[in-house]
Amino acid sequence: MTNSISINLPDGSVHEFPAGTTALQVAENIGAGLARAALAAKVDGEVWDLERPISETVSLEILTERQPEALDVLRHSAAHILATAVRQLYPEANIGFGPAIEDGFYYDFEVERPFTPEDLATIEDRMREVVKENFPFVREEVDRDEAERRFKDDPLKLERIEELGDDEVISVYADGPFVDLCRGPHLPATGRLKHFKLLHAAGAYWRGDERRQMLQRIYGTAWFNKKDLDQYLTRLEEARKRDHRVIGKQLDLFSIQEDVGPGQILWHPRGATIQFELRRFIEDEVLRRGYDLVYTPHITKEQLFFRSGHLPMYEDDQFPAMAAAAGDAEGVRYRVKPMNCPMHALVYASRQRSYRELPIRLAEVANVYRNERSGTLHGMLRVRGLTMDDAHIFCTEDQIEEEIYGILDLADFVLNKTFGLEYRLDFSTRPEKKIGSDDVWDIAEKALLGALERKNITYGVDEGGGAFYGPKIDIKIRDAIGREWQGATIQLDYQLPERFGLEYVGRDNKPHRPVMIHRAIYGTMERFVGMLIEHFAGAFPVWISPEQVRVIPITDDLASAASDIHGRLRTVGIRSSVDDRSETLNYRVRDGEIMKVPYMAVVGKREVENGTVAVRVRGTGKKQEIMPVDAFVERVLRQIRERSLSPTG
RNA sequence: GCUCGCGUAGCUCAGUGGUAGAGCGCGUCCUUGGUAAGGACGAGGUCACGGGUUCAAGCCCCGUCGCGAGCUCCA
């Protein structure tokens, strides 16, 4: 037993301290300024409270506001302060969990009556009092019996205690009157929380299990300074303004109507134009990359989905069966398709295949229907009628890797090179509900993972997130305001080839089983367009803009001259319109800006005499450019051809 | 699907039991303008739907449908 321990600091220096020294004491030893700024400490890579005694030689880093880990400590402490306030106002409330999350924190409570917005205001006021009291956060380690005694009136905490392993340290934290079962760490005292705000309350299942009771969750956000808090609140505001449901209405892109049903998009002409351009683009591109296009029916005999394993594995997501068509045999029923894979497999199986043909890549922009639970629907981003840019690649095992790289390259070309979107990859492993043996899953997962590893691609892992027939690489797109959406996906499948008895004749003149790769690049037109709306806030690149040019005659007597220019633009394939309404020029320019038209071509007497237009480029304000009509046409065509992200330039 | 909230003119929203409102948009007319809202007049409502309470319901109660915030689930 030794009384002295070594503390290794990030600058490489080593200091001797008596055992039981706290990080705060180390900080004080370094300097009073650091001690004042200190919030927590990183001890051998683990974040600790400042005042937790250190009993052995460690490496130690003092955390202040400047380290990102400190923000989690702040937010988790804010959750405790929230619970402290709630317990004061609602002594009978049972407490669940209260973690830090991205941009904030939450805490779950079991209460008689859900919280109202007024309740939140009261709770927030009480939190400020708890902060004012500056209660220290006091850590204490207890044994199981003691923990059960302390939380005897808190069934949710008792349940958690029961699950703790015998070798686990049970710690409790107190801040003033409130004691919580918690691993920590926390700020030194409640007074260190300054800039926070409660945002909203909503129900959340206890332990995330929908079979269990629903708790009331309060969400909040917390930051180290006012500027960060304000910036975050502005970001939320910004997100609201970019909401595709709002912009979709303003720009007349789409609607969802009760008469049609939830989760089904009516694409108005302007929205349809965007989908049309996206579709033309991806179809041209995949043809260039060696795919073939196919078209398959929307409904099929139900039997097909039994064969594929969709029924019953995927039944919850499928619409119920429809009766047989007139004249069909007894017992035949039909289903609308939730996926295209079985049909593409049948296209493959329609004749004998040779290894010389592989890989066979079948692509189809297809409508499928999934019976998503009503509560999950969300504008265009989560719908029941989906338009997938689907494809299935049938290849040999040797070809898997190259095909995956081909898909990743296509995804990068479309998402990043063309739309400027940032994304990251997730590797998703076998789910609980699956078909096929673990041996085959091992092979499939290894193949996908190997491809990622060999190319040194960085990826995250989503355990159990795979499709029921195979593991996936999902591509998550980060939008302009930092939120992530899943779009593109690559799924490796050994199961359906088996179930559909797919074969090819190998070089050895013997039958072999191909593997199947399912992939989508946009994912679905609905989600992708919804995402683009939010990403560009409705100010689309010229090539997908529903209305590329709006020609505006200054006076009525120039309407026909404007119409001539409009006609020229249309003839060369530019989407143009004329606004010759009897409104002021100011009014019409404003309208063009609001509708996010990339170019307004204003035509006055001077322009007509000189064969020019006065071009106003979206978002550039008063600055206008007078140019010959020819030059303008050429400029717009170049923008379209190059798929420029912005109409300037 | 679950919890809570919401549903009033084409849109955004006022309206706390006693004769349905505003702004924008739309129509007509006047105005003919040089880069983000010119003026006048007018049309437009089964207050989501179905029940109930009340002398009286947009408003209170119940149910259904839809939407929203989350949870769960997913492209």
Side-chain angles (χ1 to χ4, degrees):
Chain A
M1 173 161 167
T2 167
N3 308 339
S4 178
I5 56 171
S6 304
I7 303 284
N8 300 293
L9 295 174
D11 64 1
S13 63
V14 180
H15 302 253
E16 294 293 315
F17 285 93
T21 295
T22 68
L24 181 62
Q25 287 164 341
V26 175
E28 279 164 350
N29 190 263
I30 296 170
L34 181 64
R36 261 197 311 279
L39 296 165
K42 206 170 185 178
V43 179
D44 281 344
E46 198 178 311
V47 184
W48 280 29
D49 303 286
L50 277 182
E51 301 203 50
R52 182 164 163 191
I54 300 167
S55 57
E56 53 195 272
T57 293
V58 294
S59 67
L60 179 139
E61 182 185 2
I62 302 294
L63 298 179
T64 68
E65 295 185 8
R66 297 158 74 158
Q67 279 77 32
E69 293 96 332
L71 206 46
D72 283 345
V73 175
L74 174 79
R75 288 168 178 165
H76 179 57
S77 302
H80 274 243
I81 292 167
L82 165 60
T84 308
V86 168
R87 260 290 170 73
Q88 288 182 352
L89 294 165
Y90 306 86
E92 77 293 352
N94 289 325
I95 49 176
F97 294 140
I101 53 173
E102 191 174 2
D103 297 329
F105 60 91
Y106 68 76
Y107 211 109
D108 288 339
F109 303 97
E110 189 171 24
V111 283
E112 285 289 299
R113 169 182 73 78
F115 299 110
T116 64
E118 295 76 48
D119 293 338
L120 290 197
T122 311
I123 293 166
E124 193 177 306
D125 288 344
R126 181 55 67 103
M127 284 174 74
R128 294 194 195 282
E129 284 171 37
V130 173
V131 167
K132 216 160 125 197
E133 295 280 355
N134 200 18
F135 296 123
F137 278 99
V138 181
R139 181 177 204 273
E140 189 184 348
E141 291 184 6
V142 298
D143 62 27
R144 183 178 301 266
D145 290 347
E146 175 62 18
E148 285 175 1
R149 219 169 5 257
R150 296 225 190 161
F151 294 100
K152 65 183 184 341
D153 296 327
D154 240 318
L156 306 178
K157 289 293 173 187
L158 284 178
E159 181 177 331
R160 179 70 189 113
I161 292 167
E162 269 175 40
E163 290 172 0
L164 290 169
D166 284 332
D167 52 344
E168 280 184 85
V169 173
I170 302 178
S171 58
V172 298
Y173 279 83
D175 60 295
F178 179 68
V179 182
D180 199 355
L181 175 77
C182 180
R183 196 162 40 180
H186 295 88
L187 300 172
T190 59
R192 304 298 278 267
L193 175 68
K194 297 212 162 55
H195 306 283
F196 68 98
K197 187 172 165 49
L198 295 185
L199 298 173
H200 55 262
Y205 298 110
W206 170 233
R207 311 306 292 269
D209 185 339
E210 62 182 323
R211 287 165 306 200
R212 309 205 57 179
Q213 76 267 40
M214 184 158 277
L215 309 182
Q216 296 303 318
R217 175 172 298 177
I218 296 177
Y219 284 92
T221 188
W223 302 82
F224 280 121
N225 57 67
K226 185 159 185 337
K227 197 176 127 236
D228 287 349
L229 174 64
D230 289 345
Q231 245 170 31
Y232 174 69
L233 295 175
T234 307
R235 204 170 93 207
L236 289 183
E237 190 63 34
E238 191 63 19
R240 243 194 311 280
K241 274 191 285 193
R242 283 169 178 265
D243 190 320
H244 73 283
R245 294 165 301 185
V246 174
I247 293 178
K249 196 170 271 178
Q250 282 165 354
L251 301 190
D252 195 16
L253 300 175
F254 71 97
S255 62
I256 299 170
Q257 298 187 30
E258 211 172 320
D259 288 339
V260 177
Q264 310 238 64
I265 305 297
L266 296 168
W267 296 77
H268 297 5
R270 286 172 173 271
T273 301
I274 298 171
Q275 193 195 139
F276 170 75
E277 287 290 359
L278 294 179
R279 179 175 176 142
R280 178 155 74 178
F281 173 55
I282 196 75
E283 286 181 342
D284 284 349
E285 191 57 36
V286 298
L287 287 174
R288 203 168 287 133
R289 289 169 184 249
Y291 286 70
D292 296 304
L293 299 184
V294 297
Y295 298 112
T296 61
H298 287 67
I299 61 170
T300 68
K301 286 184 183 171
E302 185 174 58
Q303 191 51 41
L304 185 65
F305 292 114
F306 279 113
R307 191 172 175 195
S308 66
H310 283 83
L311 297 171
M313 300 308 295
Y314 201 71
E315 184 165 18
D316 288 348
D317 293 85
Q318 292 191 239
F319 280 94
M322 346 177 198
D328 270 342
E330 190 74 21
V332 172
R333 305 202 301 173
Y334 284 80
R335 289 270 188 167
V336 67
K337 65 178 171 181
M339 293 185 192
N340 303 301
C341 24
M343 291 169 207
H344 290 189
L346 290 180
V347 172
Y348 176 95
S350 64
R351 65 170 169 81
Q352 203 173 41
R353 305 286 175 178
S354 154
Y355 73 96
R356 294 169 179 276
E357 295 179 75
L358 302 183
I360 290 173
R361 308 183 186 92
L362 304 180
E364 176 179 13
V365 177
N367 296 103
V368 300
Y369 294 84
R370 299 182 184 175
N371 192 9
E372 302 289 345
R373 295 163 79 172
S374 60
T376 65
L377 302 175
H378 182 85
M380 293 185 113
L381 298 178
R382 189 75 187 275
V383 294
R384 286 183 176 151
L386 302 71
T387 310
M388 303 184 69
D389 66 315
D390 207 0
H392 295 91
I393 298 172
F394 302 86
C395 63
T396 68
E397 282 194 45
D398 292 348
Q399 293 167 330
I400 293 173
E401 201 158 318
E402 197 173 333
E403 288 305 309
I404 287 168
Y405 298 146
I407 297 165
L408 288 172
D409 182 69
L410 174 59
D412 188 68
F413 172 69
V414 172
L415 303 177
N416 184 260
K417 302 284 191 310
T418 305
F419 288 102
L421 300 167
E422 288 177 26
Y423 61 84
R424 62 177 191 84
L425 306 182
D426 259 353
F427 174 62
S428 299
T429 59
R430 70 195 76 180
E432 264 177 50
K433 243 183 153 181
K434 61 180 195 296
I435 55 177
S437 70
D438 281 334
D439 291 350
V440 176
W441 274 88
D442 285 343
I443 294 169
E445 286 175 359
K446 233 173 93 193
L448 264 193
L449 206 51
L452 287 173
E453 293 286 350
R454 271 187 289 280
K455 263 245 160 120
N456 252 329
I457 298 168
T458 53
Y459 60 90
V461 177
D462 180 2
E463 288 292 346
F468 73 81
Y469 44 75
K472 311 192 285 182
I473 298 172
D474 286 329
I475 300 185
K476 305 254 166 77
I477 300 172
R478 190 170 275 280
D479 74 8
I481 43 183
R483 293 174 305 179
E484 282 193 344
W485 301 98
Q486 162 156 9
T489 179
I490 305 171
Q491 311 172 348
L492 184 58
D493 180 4
Y494 282 80
Q495 310 299 338
L496 294 191
E498 183 76 31
R499 285 175 170 256
F500 283 92
L502 303 186
E503 290 181 345
Y504 64 88
V505 178
R507 196 189 294 271
D508 57 5
N509 200 27
K510 294 207 173 87
H512 297 269
R513 182 127 297 156
V515 296
M516 211 170 150
I517 302 171
H518 310 235
R519 56 100 286 197
I521 303 299
Y522 297 134
T524 67
M525 293 296 190
E526 287 77 15
R527 180 171 289 180
F528 195 72
V529 170
M531 223 206 56
L532 286 185
I533 293 170
E534 306 209 348
H535 180 75
F536 292 114
F540 300 108
V542 178
W543 72 281
I544 58 168
S545 282
E547 185 182 356
Q548 291 163 326
V549 177
R550 187 175 287 193
V551 185
I552 304 180
I554 292 178
T555 58
D556 281 354
D557 55 322
L558 299 171
S560 79
S563 175
D564 288 348
I565 293 169
H566 163 70
R568 270 190 67 182
L569 294 165
R570 284 264 157 186
T571 306
V572 296
I574 294 168
R575 290 186 289 272
S576 154
S577 68
V578 179
D579 185 357
D580 56 4
R581 288 178 294 177
S582 178
E583 298 286 354
T584 58
L585 180 62
N586 276 344
Y587 180 94
R588 288 176 288 159
V589 166
R590 178 181 144 86
D591 191 59
E593 286 287 350
I594 288 171
M595 293 303 284
K596 304 271 200 274
V597 181
Y599 297 107
M600 278 180 264
V602 177
V603 182
K605 217 165 90 192
R606 291 201 296 271
E607 284 74 25
V608 172
E609 280 166 6
N610 300 328
T612 57
V613 285
V615 178
R616 180 183 167 116
V617 180
R618 181 183 62 208
T620 58
K622 281 202 173 193
K623 207 173 65 189
Q624 52 166 315
E625 293 176 60
I626 313 289
M627 61 177 81
V629 178
D630 287 343
F632 176 59
V633 168
E634 195 33 58
R635 172 167 173 181
V636 178
L637 286 177
R638 183 171 54 79
Q639 285 280 324
I640 294 170
R641 202 168 50 236
E642 293 175 356
R643 299 192 191 91
S644 308
L645 287 174
S646 150
T648 56

